[in-house]
Every structure is written in C-alpha cells, then in structure tokens.
Amino acid sequence: MQERLRTRVITTSPSDLRIDTVAGLDVGYRSNDTVAGVCVVLDAKTLVVLDEVVVEDKTDFPYIAGLFAFREMPVLLRALDQVTVAPDLLVADGQGLAHPRRFGLACHLGVHTGIPSIGVAKNAMGTFEQPGEERGSTSDLVMDDEVVGKALRTQDGVKPVFVSVGHKIDLNRACAEVLRLAPRYRLPETTRRADTLTRQAVSSG
C-alpha cells in the first residue's frame, strides 16, 4: 500500500498556499494496544492554541518499524475529525519522505486527508552532515543517494530536527514553517503541545 500510495505524494506547494492554522499530531501508548491520539490546532502567527482533542482507542496492528502509520493513523484521524478549527497544515511527529519506501506517517496523513503535511522527527532516518550552528542552518538528509529531507537547526547551537515533506508542500517551505513554529525551543510548538497532551493522557489512565 505504501508503494502504491507514494505515487500520489505532491512535493510542491500550491501557488496559493496560505497557512493560518497548524495542527500538531502525536500518539501515546498507555499499554501495548491502548493508544491516545492527540490533535492540537494553533494559530500559525501567534502560536495560540485554538483547539485540542485527545482520543483513546485500541489498536491491533503490531509494532513494526516502517509501518507506524498503520498503527497510529486510525486514532489520529479520529482526533483530527473532532477539532473545530480546520488546519491548513499538519505537522506529524515523525517522518514524511524520509522513509525507506518514501511514505512515512506525514505522507500517509497528507494523502489521506488532502491537507498539506510535513514530518518533523527528533531523530534522523538517513545520513546528514551537521548544519551550521546558527538558527535556520540546514543540511541535506540523504537516503539511497536521494535527498529526502533537511536537518534543520531551529535554535543556535542545539541539536537539529529532521524535516521532510509529507504532501502538498515543498521542502524549503516546510523548513520555513518549522522555523516559524519554533521561535524559542528546539521542537516546533505543534510538537511540544501535542507531546504534553499525550503525556497527560497516558499518565491519567
């Protein structure tokens, strides 16, 4: 399915792409089969939270590297369906094109929903040279001799994050949006807020 669907991924930005609202998506595991899916929608300019949803569900799909989307997509889509503010961009805590089959979670979410999407990962999938130490510095993230994303320094001197296209956005615009979402910390606010909600949901069970 990943091999088939990856042909639908669009790696360019529409000429009229305007991003006013951004959704952060994350999944937490309370047990091996109980998951919490989180969707937090922020104002892209002020980073104020406009809406947030936590959905709990069961999953029977096993934990297999490279196939996380099949385990996490159902609960994330339920959470996305319940937010009252429509996002213009989805930010997945994971990979987009930086994936062995070039179809990570961010791609799967984007193709399924039709919403522009990007993957922002804490760890690299592929190889890269360290970018410059200054905020905004980038270097290519490479798999199989192909550029699949960027290592992006979001703050001076901190470890980079790894940005890859999910759907309907180009890589340079994706990096620019991540920088806009990360004015103070290494991780974009979408990821930080979603992570916090996920931890709260998992610990409250």
Side-chain angles (χ1 to χ4, degrees):
M1 183 182 292
Q2 290 174 330
E3 296 280 3
R4 177 169 53 85
L5 290 177
R6 74 176 184 177
T7 62
R8 302 185 188 178
V9 172
I10 297 170
T11 58
T12 56
S13 300
S15 58
D16 59 348
L17 179 60
R18 177 172 171 169
I19 297 174
D20 295 319
T21 54
V22 186
L25 299 150
D26 192 20
V27 172
Y29 295 86
R30 182 169 294 160
S31 65
N32 191 47
D33 64 348
T34 302
V35 295
V38 168
C39 181
V40 183
V41 182
L42 277 63
D43 182 295
K45 185 177 294 185
T46 65
L47 304 183
V48 169
V49 174
L50 303 175
D51 197 12
E52 55 188 34
V53 169
V54 179
V55 173
E56 291 191 14
D57 207 347
K58 297 281 187 180
T59 179
D60 57 6
F61 196 90
Y63 189 89
I64 302 173
L67 299 178
F68 291 147
F70 295 96
R71 187 170 168 86
E72 300 186 348
M73 277 270 292
V75 73
L76 287 177
L77 290 175
R78 283 185 57 204
L80 187 57
D81 282 344
Q82 292 184 28
V83 291
T84 58
V85 180
D88 299 319
L89 177 70
L90 306 180
V91 179
D93 184 14
Q95 314 290 347
L97 291 178
H99 180 274
R101 286 172 293 281
R102 307 298 185 267
F103 199 75
L105 175 62
C107 296
H108 212 142
L109 283 165
V111 169
H112 183 89
T113 62
I115 302 171
S117 61
I118 58 179
V120 181
K122 302 176 185 76
N123 299 302
M125 188 173 283
T127 60
F128 68 101
E129 299 288 337
Q130 284 290 339
E133 290 295 308
E134 300 79 21
R135 169 178 160 85
S137 298
T138 64
S139 62
D140 289 342
L141 182 62
V142 178
M143 293 182 73
D144 305 319
D145 299 320
E146 179 183 354
V147 175
V148 294
K150 294 281 188 184
L152 170 66
R153 193 86 67 184
T154 53
Q155 302 297 327
D156 292 351
V158 303
K159 292 191 298 184
V161 296
F162 302 93
V163 180
S164 56
V165 169
H167 187 50
K168 286 187 175 179
I169 192 167
D170 65 89
L171 185 53
N172 287 337
R173 179 70 182 273
C175 288
E177 293 299 330
V178 173
L179 276 179
R180 180 160 69 137
L181 292 167
R184 295 179 59 194
Y185 301 103
R186 177 192 178 217
L187 296 176
E189 287 301 301
T190 40
T191 302
R192 281 170 39 81
R193 304 291 178 89
D195 279 350
T196 298
L197 264 187
T198 301
R199 286 196 300 270
Q200 292 171 349
V202 171
S203 63
S204 65

